[in-house]
Amino acid sequence: MMACQDWPEPVIRVQALAESGLTTIPERFIKPKSQRVTDYATHSSSTQPKFSDTDINIPVIDMKHLYGGEEGQRAEALHRVAEACREWGFFQVVNHGVNHELMKGAREVWREFFHQPIEVKEKFANTPLTYEGYGSRLGVKKGAILDWSDYFFLHYMPCSLRDQTKWPNLPTSLRNEIDEYGEEVVKLGGRVLEILSVNLGLRQDFLLNAFGGEKDLGACLRVNFYPKCPQPDLTMGLSSHSDPGGMTILLPDENVSGLQVRRGDDWITVKPMPNAFIINIGDQIQVLSNAIYKSIEHRVIVNSDKDRVSLAFFYNPRSDIPIQPAKELVTEDRPALYPPKTFDEYRLYIRTRGPNGKAQVESLISKCDSN
Ligand code: OGA
Ligand code: NI
């Protein structure tokens, strides 16, 4: 398939649109009813949408129990991570070892980037060829209904793809800050992969090796900027999707919630703990675990009076090694649910099928013969 060189129509910067002070949103951003928030409380004076499920949250794991703590506590924490991966596909971690100031700094430096004059940002405008840079849409379908967000996408690993000249240099500290942040988050990702491997009954280094090892694995950063929106009940900050890669480590906005996770027929709004990361299983770990761990659909809602910034760090397998269910997890009772596919092949496969919520990894199942 030929990759598209450019966008099919002029790009609309959502932040500029929001800052123009419009009171109704353009039709291009209005989602069909089935894809909107159904219980968006008629937004009184509150800054946050209200939901009926206010007490439910994704599991919170205190990572200090996983290291050096008492054995009983470690077993309990491991068990809670396993349960979260099986049942939620999502959890948040505290005491994860990443410096809190570094987290705050990374978020603030990106917030500053999005508040630079438009000319500064446009210098980094991306194209659908690689998506690297400053962008406002995914996909090249002409006339598609768009999400209410802008983003910046960059490659951090492998080193051969890391090109700092493609990263913003305003504010001036940004490149250094992202380098340091990336290093710490990659380390955290390694620790989490070990925990997941052990929980699956595999060797501690199984998942990291399956990803190609620490030098070759892929890691990219997508910084999302969700501007405030005059009609948040008609649109979506980010449409429902599952993450195609291995695992995502998300640094959410500390003040504004918006991420929703699918739980059966409900959408649960994540309430981030202070200084926490939100971690979710991507499609590739669903495949490697033979669907014991779930890559769950999620989406982002917007609100009428606060911008929201989030940093999604995607931790992916090297793009050219076949990913398939671990042999140890394939039995007569539970045959391999997925045929081997490299991450490159998988991305191509979902691109040609078009984004379709979580149907991506599910639709692979039927393609697997009894091999
Ligand atoms: C993503 C994502 C969630 C958020 O970038 O894939 O799901 O809260 N982001 O921004
Ligand atoms: Ni996502």
Side-chain angles (χ1 to χ4, degrees):
M1 191 187 68
M2 274 288 291
C4 272
Q5 304 281 324
D6 215 343
W7 305 111
E9 53 215 345
V11 176
I12 308 171
R13 301 302 179 190
V14 181
Q15 185 184 359
L17 195 61
E19 287 171 2
S20 74
L22 80 180
T23 52
T24 56
I25 63 175
E27 211 170 317
R28 295 292 304 279
F29 293 92
I30 301 181
K31 302 285 177 187
K33 272 219 171 71
S34 63
Q35 292 170 25
R36 296 184 203 160
V37 175
T38 47
D39 49 357
Y40 211 109
T42 31
H43 16 268
S44 51
S45 60
S46 89
T47 59
Q48 297 287 296
K50 293 196 186 70
F51 294 93
S52 47
D53 63 6
T54 42
D55 294 335
I56 309 174
N57 201 1
I58 58 171
V60 180
I61 309 293
D62 187 339
M63 287 185 76
K64 80 167 180 274
H65 296 317
L66 292 166
Y67 300 101
E70 186 209 310
E71 200 41 48
Q73 281 183 330
R74 175 174 153 87
E76 160 80 12
L78 282 172
H79 180 75
R80 294 191 58 237
V81 175
E83 203 170 59
C85 295
R86 285 194 312 261
E87 292 174 16
W88 284 88
F90 267 84
F91 52 98
Q92 30 183 333
V93 291
V94 294
N95 293 318
H96 39 63
V98 180
N99 184 291
H100 296 171
E101 293 308 312
L102 188 62
M103 296 164 73
K104 281 202 186 79
R107 199 168 39 213
E108 289 324 305
V109 91
W110 278 108
R111 214 189 290 277
E112 274 182 56
F113 168 73
F114 282 100
H115 286 110
Q116 295 292 320
I118 190 74
E119 317 82 76
V120 172
K121 292 183 283 191
E122 290 294 353
K123 277 195 209 131
F124 297 94
N126 73 352
T127 74
L129 203 56
T130 64
Y131 280 98
E132 274 176 286
Y134 176 55
S136 298
R137 65 182 289 169
L138 293 172
V140 290
K141 198 165 146 244
K142 199 166 180 190
I145 298 184
L146 303 173
D147 289 343
W148 193 264
S149 54
D150 300 323
Y151 62 87
F152 198 102
F153 181 72
L154 61 85
H155 286 287
Y156 186 76
M157 297 280 281
C159 287
S160 57
L161 289 183
R162 189 187 306 176
D163 182 357
Q164 289 214 353
T165 63
K166 293 182 179 164
W167 305 2
N169 52 352
L170 277 176
T172 49
S173 59
L174 189 141
R175 289 180 181 169
N176 269 343
E177 198 101 34
I178 294 319
D179 238 345
E180 274 178 53
Y181 178 79
E183 194 173 315
E184 289 302 309
V185 176
V186 167
K187 278 193 221 153
L188 171 61
R191 296 196 288 276
V192 174
L193 282 191
E194 285 183 358
I195 293 162
L196 267 48
S197 301
V198 168
N199 270 339
L200 286 165
L202 304 168
R203 279 179 43 171
Q204 183 166 300
D205 57 3
F206 180 89
L207 286 173
L208 186 59
N209 282 340
F211 277 37
E214 61 187 15
K215 289 221 163 49
D216 288 334
L217 62 81
C220 9
L221 178 66
R222 183 181 142 114
V223 183
N224 299 293
F225 189 87
Y226 305 97
K228 58 185 173 205
C229 177
Q231 294 177 299
D233 46 344
L234 299 183
T235 189
M236 250 324 134
L238 192 56
S239 301
S240 169
H241 66 282
S242 70
D243 293 345
M247 168 175 84
T248 305
I249 302 179
L250 182 88
L251 176 62
D253 196 295
E254 77 275 49
N255 299 315
V256 187
S257 58
L259 173 62
Q260 294 193 317
V261 175
R262 188 191 266 290
R263 182 104 169 125
D265 290 335
D266 291 332
W267 289 98
I268 307 297
T269 305
V270 174
K271 289 130 207 118
M273 302 287 288
N275 302 308
F277 282 106
I278 296 168
I279 298 186
N280 66 284
I281 302 294
D283 294 351
Q284 304 307 308
I285 290 185
Q286 177 165 325
V287 170
L288 285 160
S289 71
N290 204 19
I292 294 172
Y293 289 172
K294 309 291 191 311
S295 170
I296 295 292
E297 251 182 284
H298 51 285
R299 66 184 189 185
V300 177
I301 58 170
V302 287
N303 72 82
S304 55
D305 48 20
K306 283 199 169 150
D307 300 335
R308 177 173 182 270
V309 177
S310 70
L311 277 62
F313 205 90
F314 301 111
Y315 204 94
N316 300 330
R318 184 183 143 138
S319 58
D320 58 356
I321 36 179
I323 299 293
Q324 59 191 315
K327 277 198 304 293
E328 295 83 343
L329 305 177
V330 174
T331 60
E332 220 163 282
D333 296 343
R334 194 181 176 86
L337 291 169
Y338 313 97
K341 252 193 199 341
T342 67
F343 186 41
D344 268 345
E345 288 166 346
Y346 184 76
R347 275 183 292 201
L348 198 60
Y349 167 76
I350 59 178
R351 211 173 295 156
T352 46
R353 295 188 77 255
N356 186 13
K358 155 97 220 269
Q360 308 164 352
V361 84
E362 300 307 347
S363 65
L364 273 181
I365 294 178
S366 55
K367 292 218 163 173
C368 190
D369 336 299
S370 49
N371 53 356

